[in-house]
Amino acid sequence: MKAIKLTVVLLAIILMVGCRKSIERTMLPEHVTLMSGDIVLRCGSGITSRAVQMADGGGSYSHVGIVVDSAGILMIVHAVPDEHDSKDDIDRVKMDSPEKFFSSVRTSNGRVMRFTDSTMARKAADAAYAIYRRGTLFDHDYDASDTTMMYCCELVEHAYNKVAGISVTDSIRHDVNLPAFNLKQVMLPSDFIRSSRLKTIATF
């Protein structure tokens, strides 16, 4: 009987451990030092992320953000759907800590890229921060010609274009025809990777 009871207890412990959710952690390595204006990319695991990767020809990333200085603390501003902070929240431009942006719950891999001119990068970050402060909504139409609402790539591109008058995506645009997306002249995460104006600081 004791052996049976011990077996039952051990099985219960194994089941409890097995049913626990994996511990959330940040995918951003400790040795990576971010700077204001850095462009950050991540790959998510949701349906929208998969659709973006398909549209991007099987690209490694599905989402883009920009590092900003918020009262001396480095944060990441990004335009994202379906990441609500409360039940009453809406799809909008958000600001998260680097640890939350690169959370293992949302990220399988990431990249940090840096603009060649640090002064312009800081100014672009300030422009992105102002877009966040306005409460800008997420652009579900992915229409870069209308900056009253924005999607992730559009936000970063617009922030740099506004202050530097240049395109960090080298003005590359795509027409996307998929069951979930039928879009014209959109930017995609891989456009930043191919940019002649950016250099990769870290991949993870």
Side-chain angles (χ1 to χ4, degrees):
M1 287 294 291
K2 288 183 178 180
I4 294 173
K5 288 182 179 179
L6 180 60
T7 301
V8 171
V9 171
L10 288 173
L11 284 172
I13 292 172
I14 291 170
L15 286 171
M16 283 191 293
V17 172
C19 290
R20 285 179 185 168
K21 293 182 178 179
S22 58
I23 297 173
E24 183 175 359
R25 60 188 179 86
T26 182
M27 302 293 289
L28 182 66
E30 291 184 5
H31 71 272
V32 176
T33 301
L34 299 175
M35 292 179 59
S36 185
D38 281 354
I39 294 172
V40 291
L41 301 97
R42 75 183 187 197
C43 179
S45 57
I47 295 174
T48 302
S49 297
R50 298 301 182 210
V52 171
Q53 286 182 280
M54 286 179 62
D56 207 359
S60 300
Y61 306 100
S62 58
H63 190 50
V64 181
I66 181 171
V67 178
V68 304
D69 185 329
S70 176
I73 299 174
L74 292 180
M75 302 288 282
I76 294 176
V77 167
H78 58 124
V80 62
D82 304 322
E83 283 190 19
H84 301 157
D85 294 329
S86 68
K87 65 178 183 179
D88 298 320
D89 202 358
I90 54 178
D91 294 342
R92 57 186 170 84
V93 173
K94 295 184 61 179
M95 185 170 73
D96 288 321
S97 68
E99 292 76 19
K100 185 174 181 180
F101 181 86
F102 285 118
S103 164
S104 58
V105 172
R106 298 190 176 105
T107 308
S108 60
N109 57 289
R111 180 184 292 245
V112 179
M113 305 193 74
R114 188 160 293 162
F115 188 62
T116 50
D117 185 326
S118 60
T119 300
M120 285 298 182
R122 287 192 295 272
K123 290 180 179 179
D126 291 342
Y129 185 69
I131 292 168
Y132 157 72
R133 291 291 301 271
R134 286 202 301 269
T136 305
L137 299 180
F138 183 82
D139 183 3
H140 288 278
D141 293 326
Y142 295 85
D143 180 4
S145 66
D146 177 8
T147 57
T148 59
M149 297 185 289
M150 294 188 175
Y151 63 98
C152 65
C153 296
E154 178 187 2
L155 167 64
V156 177
E157 170 82 345
H158 177 75
Y160 270 95
N161 187 267
K162 183 175 181 179
V163 300
I166 55 91
S167 169
V168 288
T169 61
D170 294 328
S171 299
I172 298 170
R173 300 294 182 267
H174 310 266
D175 291 339
V176 176
N177 293 291
L178 293 172
F181 291 94
N182 185 9
L183 308 172
K184 301 294 183 182
Q185 297 296 292
V186 294
M187 291 163 274
L188 295 167
S190 64
D191 296 332
F192 294 93
I193 298 172
R194 290 190 290 264
S195 173
S196 60
R197 302 176 185 275
L198 303 172
K199 62 179 180 179
T200 297
I201 301 302
T203 56
F204 45 92

